[in-house]
Amino acid sequence: MRVPLSWLREYVDLPAGATGRDVAERLVRAGLEVETVEQLGGELKGPLVVGEVLSIEELTGFKKPIRHCLVNVGDANGTGEPQEIVCGARNFAVGDKVVVVLPGAVLPGPFPIAARQTYGRTSAGMICSGRELRMSDDHDGIIVLPPEYEPGTDAIELLQLVDEVLDIAVTPDRGYCLSMRGVAREAAAAYGLPLADPALLDVPPANSFGYLVKVNDPTGCDRFVARTVVGVDPNAKSPIWLQRRLQKSGIRPISLTVDITNYVMLEVGQPLHAYDKQRVNGPITVRRAEQGEVLTTLDGVERKLSPEDLLICDSSGPIGLAGVMGGASTEILDPAAGPGTTEVIIEAAHFDPVAIARSAKRHKLPSEASKRFERGVDPEAARAAAQRAVDLLVLIAGGTAEAGVTDIAAPHPVRTITIAADLPDRVAGTAYGRETVTRRLQEVGCSVSGADVLEVTPPTWRPDLTDPYDLAEEVIRLEGYDNVPARMPDVPPGKGLTEAQRINRRIGVALAGTGYVEVNNYPFLGETAWDALGLAADDRRRRTVKLVNPLNDEEPALRTTLLPGLLGALRRNVGRGNTDLAVYETGTVFLPKDELSVAPRPAVDHRPSDAELAELDAALPDQPRRVAVALAGERLPSGWWGKGAQASWADAVQAGRTVARAAGVELTVRAGQLAPWHPGRCAELVVAGTDRVVGHAGELHPRVVKALGLPARTAAMEIDVDLLTADGAERVNGPTVSGFPVATQDVALIVDTAVPAADVESALRTGAGELLEAIRLFDVFTGEQIGEGKKSLAYALRFRAVDRTLTADEATAAREAAVAEAVARTGAVLRGALRVAACPLPVCVLPPVRGRAALPRLGLTVPQPVAYLFTYGSR
């Protein structure tokens, strides 16, 4: 809201020496956000005067039209002689009154003016346009003034070019400050001065002679005032003072009737709309739109209406989108394009804020009117605003106000708030006293009665005052937040982090330690995200929680997986040249419940009860915690040392193991299939010893990679942390460190291709027993040597005891037990045994030593050719 200081002084008798910055400081202390104080005309220096065009000579022979003018500027030039001025504008004629700047003056810029030779003539000054005086952006032609001003009149004062304008950022709860009336009330309270309320007008009561109006939706429109003015001069122009106030407030003057409605809106805060009475067919009706209806608004756009839209209609159909924009069929006619409008219907109504906000958002049609309605407009200001517009039309346009007054009002219950007189004292921690509390509440427009307990009736223009603490805030802000003492609160000792917080931290530290970078994304998404991920139409992840008032219409839903946001961050980084990436995100997803419930509104004067908190939780969607990673490019960089390693599905799987290890849980990995992962390179992450799938990892499907614009072979992982830790918190013990040597044995097993490696590993782990320290799959081999439909899995087994050095027999026994368990559970065949059975050569079984190089040390001489079978595995 732009507030000219000169206009503000009409309603509050501010101190004569108070500058815009002084007023801004007072308003900021009162809780308003004054962003800037603009100095208008600070660089401007006269003489700048009214001139009368005496003659115009058209100069030819130039690339553009040029005119040599003689202009009467009175005695402003010191001689009284006509001033010679060369000008290129063509929107004025002989006899017109214009704005002339004379040599020695300085225009905003700064731009000094001097006499000079141009186009073969002397130009001693300049005829000014609105842009040159910083009045507006209009540079199509110069300013033509009304004929009543005498040549030589000071144009700086006439055009109110020197002023200060406060630019106030009005928060949603202070909608009344989107008017001079509201800001003046705040300024009056800040300075302790009386307010000249512009809405205090004598308004005739409603009668049966007014224009017929029907309100079919009293919920959407609870107040409708209509007044009619006839005999309006269609050629009447807005006076300079009105135009300048609109321009300083950021609104472009259009025509007298439209300018008056805009002026009253800025003055009182009540949006108005003017209809050409001769173009309105029958009674005005307020109703909701019907399916398939359309309306061409004043901007010339035909809009398809929604059944939720609130409309102003006549017998022919919609003539306005209520509270947003009028229709083109009943707009005020420009006399330059026809006969002009002589009979005007003024509408001043109060509409439901939610309905107006949704219509403006739905049609992408924000307007000055909708901005005010959606923040809350005083329903009692409609009568005064309509009367003010009628008075201005009669005064300026020579119209006659008809006696008929239409005023349809739905009953409004009186809102009364009970507040303890010492509540502001207790909230602020200081002593205001009952008299101060009462005085401050009355300054904001409240009616107050009572002693120790006050009965407060908020004013109609403050719909945000609903609770005792709202009233306490009003007292505190008007007394000054800087007067609230600063004291450290008594903070009870904390209990530290919760178990969920500790797990979340351990996961973040573990992933960061392995090279991942954390990112944070917005939880909003749209249907296109699911299509890009290739999710089926019946995929449960497509069932989302929709926002009633989303930040972006294209992303109205809350995420059910972290992958869209995470992959979007990956794509943005790749697009900016970061091709080798490993990112992760932790956060909640939002899963809708089968049964919906409405959350109760708890009181603000005490802590909600356990039952109320349970109701609030029941109304919320399920919000499990998730962690996800995404990788692309090189995991290990290339350099002079050689070629690096490309990130792959295996790294994504390992990230899942890292997360589980940080949470104190052991995972089992098995083949899976779930979009958006590649069906042949997708792993299910399962809690060991259970069949509980907690996540998936692997390489993304090529179609998904292409749709999202990601690098080839991009991999990702996502785990449900709540599901991962569903068995409860357990103490995380560090590994036992043994000082005794390790015994390593390798085993190669041949199994069917369909047998998961995880099943084989599980069997080996179970069979090996407590002596097994670690197991690692280091080779997978397929080929003719082992037969079709078979694969060879080679594992390295590490055995160690915490209290002794293992003997060869103990290690061998543990290995053989592991192999036996794998054979029993998966049908595996020891690769070495298979080779011996099929070998036609003599077989030499060696004692438990490693490698053929040990033969001479054993004193053995073996004929050639021969096959060797080492009890520690085949090398």
Side-chain angles (χ1 to χ4, degrees), residues 216 287-294 303-311 313 317-318:
N216 295 342
R287 62 172 174 83
R288 298 283 177 169
E290 297 176 359
Q291 194 68 39
E293 280 191 302
V294 296
R303 303 183 184 277
K304 296 181 179 179
L305 302 175
S306 165
E308 294 184 8
D309 289 330
L310 193 64
L311 300 180
C313 305

Side-chain angles (χ1 to χ4, degrees), residues 453-660:
V453 177
L454 304 179
E455 296 290 330
V456 181
T457 302
T460 54
W461 61 82
R462 292 299 301 273
D464 59 305
L465 301 181
T466 58
D467 295 298
Y469 287 89
D470 294 333
L471 301 178
E473 181 186 358
E474 292 298 301
V475 175
I476 295 169
R477 76 174 181 86
L478 291 178
E479 283 295 303
Y481 290 120
D482 53 342
N483 294 325
V484 177
R487 290 199 302 268
M488 293 298 293
D490 296 328
V491 180
K495 298 180 181 179
L497 299 176
T498 65
E499 182 60 26
Q501 290 172 327
R502 284 194 289 268
I503 291 175
N504 193 62
R505 285 196 177 186
R506 288 203 301 267
I507 290 173
V509 170
L511 288 174
T514 54
Y516 287 87
V517 178
E518 185 176 14
V519 298
N520 291 297
N521 298 294
Y522 288 118
F524 313 117
L525 45 78
E527 288 295 323
T528 56
W530 306 131
D531 298 335
L533 292 181
L535 302 191
D538 59 348
D539 194 296
R540 67 181 187 279
R541 287 169 290 181
R542 283 185 178 267
R543 186 168 173 260
T544 58
V545 176
K546 299 292 195 305
L547 298 175
V548 175
N549 190 26
L551 296 178
N552 183 351
D553 289 338
E554 296 179 357
E555 295 180 334
L558 293 174
R559 66 190 179 192
T560 56
T561 170
L562 300 180
L563 290 180
L566 191 63
L567 296 177
L570 190 73
R571 180 181 65 248
R572 285 190 294 274
N573 277 273
V574 170
R576 287 160 177 76
N578 300 323
T579 55
D580 302 325
L581 293 163
V583 294
Y584 81 95
E585 181 177 10
T586 59
T588 56
V589 297
F590 306 86
L591 308 179
K593 293 180 178 178
D594 294 332
E595 296 184 4
L596 300 179
S597 59
V598 179
R601 183 181 181 185
V604 298
D605 57 349
H606 63 272
R607 183 183 185 279
S609 65
D610 292 340
E612 288 176 317
L613 292 175
E615 283 188 80
L616 290 170
D617 287 338
L620 295 174
D622 292 329
Q623 300 176 52
R625 294 173 299 146
R626 298 278 180 90
V627 58
V629 306
L631 308 96
E634 290 187 335
R635 177 175 56 86
L636 297 176
S638 301
W640 57 265
W641 51 84
K643 189 175 181 180
Q646 195 77 9
S648 69
W649 63 268
D651 298 300
V653 173
Q654 184 59 32
R657 289 195 175 100
T658 300
V659 170

Side-chain angles (χ1 to χ4, degrees), residues 32 38 167 343 521 565 711:
L32 295 182
E38 183 180 353
D167 194 351
E343 298 182 355
N521 298 294

Side-chain angles (χ1 to χ4, degrees), residues 4 7 40 130 134-136 138 142-146 148-149 158-161 235-260 262-263 266 392 396:
W7 194 359
L40 299 182
R134 299 286 173 86
M135 293 173 54
S136 66
D138 185 10
I142 55 89
I143 301 170
V144 178
L145 299 173
E148 61 265 23
Y149 298 108
L158 175 66
L159 299 177
Q160 304 173 23
L161 296 177
N235 296 307
K237 303 294 183 182
S238 299
I240 291 177
W241 64 266
L242 193 152
Q243 293 188 45
R244 290 298 293 136
R245 286 186 173 179
L246 291 178
Q247 289 171 339
K248 293 176 187 179
S249 301
I251 294 180
R252 180 175 60 89
I254 298 174
S255 64
L256 175 59
T257 303
V258 176
D259 291 348
I260 286 175
N262 286 332
Y263 178 82
L266 292 174
L392 290 173
I396 301 172

